[in-house]
Each structure stands twice: as C-alpha cells, then as structure tokens.
Amino acid sequence: MECRPACAACCIAPSISSPIPGLPEGKPAGVRCVQLTEDLRCAVFGLPQRPAVCSSLRPAPAMCGGHRDEAIAWLTRLEVSTAPA
C-alpha cells in the first residue's frame, strides 16, 4: 500500500520518543512534526536523521482507513492504548 497524498496522519498523531532534527526530545502525540513540509511531505524522508520509528512505519488499510480523518483517529487510539500508565 502506498501513502495517501496529503495525509501526514503518521507525522501528527503519534508521539515520537527519539530525537528528530529540530526536536531533540522527540515530539508529543497530536503535534505536527517540525520536519513536515507545507505540502505534507517529510523533509527528512530517506535521510539518516529520520527516526527509526518513522522509517519502520508502513501504511496499511487498517491504519490508513478510507481517508485522513480515519487515519488520525486510528493512530490516536493506538497512541492512547500504548501510552505508559
């Protein structure tokens, strides 16, 4: 499955605990990644600075749903269900 153009749900909904260029402490859930460009593309895609968690994430029908709002909702539910107590 290919990423949906202009979605970027995976760059907004989940938290990232590893350093990202411009965010040495990572990013909290629900916050737009600083590496997300205006046209909703990753500025560090394919570069060694891209966090491993981002590189390993693969789009899938269950995660992406039928549109961006479904993807954000799914990833938000995942974030909540896997957050430390």
Side-chain angles (χ1 to χ4, degrees):
M1 179 174 176
E2 295 292 321
C3 284
R4 179 181 296 114
C7 177
C10 60
C11 301
I12 299 168
S15 62
I16 299 175
S17 57
S18 58
I20 302 168
L23 290 172
E25 303 298 317
K27 77 165 210 67
V31 173
R32 181 185 173 100
C33 179
V34 298
Q35 296 301 327
L36 189 59
T37 64
E38 288 300 316
D39 63 349
L40 301 176
R41 296 188 177 272
C42 177
V44 293
F45 187 86
L47 299 178
Q49 301 90 330
R50 187 175 182 214
V53 67
C54 298
S55 298
S56 66
L57 187 62
R58 300 286 181 250
M63 177 178 76
C64 299
H67 53 79
R68 181 177 192 254
D69 292 340
E70 288 180 9
I72 289 177
W74 192 91
L75 287 163
T76 299
R77 284 191 304 274
L78 181 63
E79 179 71 31
V80 170
S81 69
T82 60

